[in-house]
Amino acid sequence: MSEVRRSLPVAQAAPRVRRDAAANADRVLAAAMALVEAGGVDTLTMDRVAAEAGVGKGTVFRAFGNRSGLLAALTDETERDFQRAFLTGPPPLGPGAPPLDRLLAYGEGRLDLQRVHGAIFRAMQGVSIERFGVPARKVSVTHVRMLLRQCGIDDALDVITEAVLGPLDSDTAYHLSVERGLGRERLIADWKTMVRRLVG
Amino acid sequence: MSEVRRSLPVAQAAPRVRRDAAANADRVLAAAMALVEAGGVDTLTMDRVAAEAGVGKGTVFRAFGNRSGLLAALTDETERDFQRAFLTGPPPLGPGAPPLDRLLAYGEGRLDLQRVHGAIFRAMQGVSIERFGVPARKVSVTHVRMLLRQCGIDDALDVITEAVLGPLDSDTAYHLSVERGLGRERLIADWKTMVRRLVG
């Protein structure tokens, strides 16, 4: 028996094993996604995923290492699916629809994805959204929201406030001015252009 | 001597000590700010701050604990100054100017502040802006930027792209939909309203 297996050409045996492993990995990822969508990230355990996928627990561990590895693979997989959809999928998300329609479809798709990704990121990193609770940020949000309202914006005020504050976030401002090379003056000028566009 | 000091009423001695300590702390913060503005956060050491402020190194440690404490106090102080300016200071940042002018002045002031705060946050937390280097994010930035250009936006494209992506960030989306209670449908609808306003 061992002799027979050894006699199999490695070049053909390997793909078979990889195909099986890949098929199992796909089933595990699909099962993990189903669990997360049904009950949230907290319900995702290696045991439950294995049971849901109909594979042994060892298979799940061999394919993904641990729960964090599984969660990371899940975000990679869903991100790749979404990328395929907006780069080459059918309209309105993919090519063929007018650009505004594509943009609106992108945002809707991204927000749907973030419900899953966000929960996974928070589960993996611990809650990292304390910044929204920082008193200084709350003061700024209240201030900018008030000014936007005074400028005549009475719809979508929370979202527009976040859009306006986004490029002012210290990481984003650094990324734009230094890493993307806008520099200080240009960043300020472009931020103002954006605000004037929004206020109309 | 010891007898004399003991005979001083504590109720009067304490404010004097606190006043001196507060004055020293102010001088240390001003010196720290001067160092950071002149040479960046990296040039800020407890030794140099003490020398620059003309106080003993022990005074700096007593007031701020360590370098991180000093950096945190520095951001608190500059944030408070900025808050005073936009809440109650002179126009156009403070009350009295038209709301759009105040909003534009707010952004400019915040971006100036972030050059210092951003450097301090990065120094305190280590570089936390890897998210801008994540391939998936780059793909999304390129995609949204292209669609915005196709929608006719040819100015401030980098900043507008970040503004559009801001509310789609997983932390921000979670904050808006769950913590601020917009919910999924409303968040999507409001994001679309914002994009339509921007595209015009």
Side-chain angles (χ1 to χ4, degrees), chain A residues 75-116:
Chain A
T75 61
D76 281 354
E77 177 76 5
T78 50
E79 182 70 34
R80 262 198 305 274
D81 287 347
F82 185 56
Q83 278 183 15
R84 261 193 300 271
F86 72 70
L87 292 174
T88 61
L93 189 54
L100 179 56
D101 292 349
R102 290 191 70 192
L103 187 53
L104 298 179
Y106 172 86
E108 180 161 352
R110 172 62 68 191
L111 286 172
D112 269 344
L113 198 59
Q114 296 298 36
R115 283 188 306 149
V116 174

Side-chain angles (χ1 to χ4, degrees), chain A residues 106 108 112 140 184 192, chain B residues 106 108 112 140 184 192:
Chain A
Y106 172 86
E108 180 161 352
D112 269 344
S140 286
R184 176 182 175 275
K192 290 182 175 179
Chain B
Y106 173 87
E108 181 161 353
D112 269 344
S140 286
R184 175 182 175 274
K192 290 182 175 180

Side-chain angles (χ1 to χ4, degrees), chain B residues 73-154:
Chain B
L74 198 57
T75 60
D76 281 354
E77 178 76 5
T78 51
E79 182 70 33
R80 262 197 305 272
D81 287 346
F82 184 56
Q83 278 183 13
R84 261 193 300 272
F86 73 68
L87 292 174
T88 61
L93 189 54
L100 178 57
D101 292 349
R102 292 190 69 191
L103 186 53
L104 298 179
Y106 173 87
E108 181 161 353
R110 173 61 69 191
L111 285 172
D112 269 344
L113 197 61
Q114 295 297 37
R115 283 187 307 149
V116 175
H117 280 197
I120 291 175
F121 292 150
R122 285 188 295 281
M124 287 170 74
Q125 304 164 356
V127 176
S128 70
I129 55 171
E130 306 137 23
R131 67 184 162 115
F132 293 103
V134 172
R137 195 177 195 281
K138 286 187 180 171
V139 173
S140 286
V141 166
T142 304
H143 180 67
V144 167
R145 204 174 181 286
M146 176 200 74
L147 294 177
L148 286 168
R149 191 195 285 277
Q150 290 177 356
C151 286
I153 294 181
D154 54 7

Side-chain angles (χ1 to χ4, degrees), chain A residues 155-160, chain B residues 182 185-195:
Chain A
D155 199 15
L157 209 46
D158 285 327
V159 172
I160 292 176
Chain B
L182 289 190
E185 298 303 327
R186 176 81 186 281
L187 174 55
I188 291 174
D190 285 2
W191 182 82
K192 290 182 175 180
T193 299
M194 184 268 290
V195 169

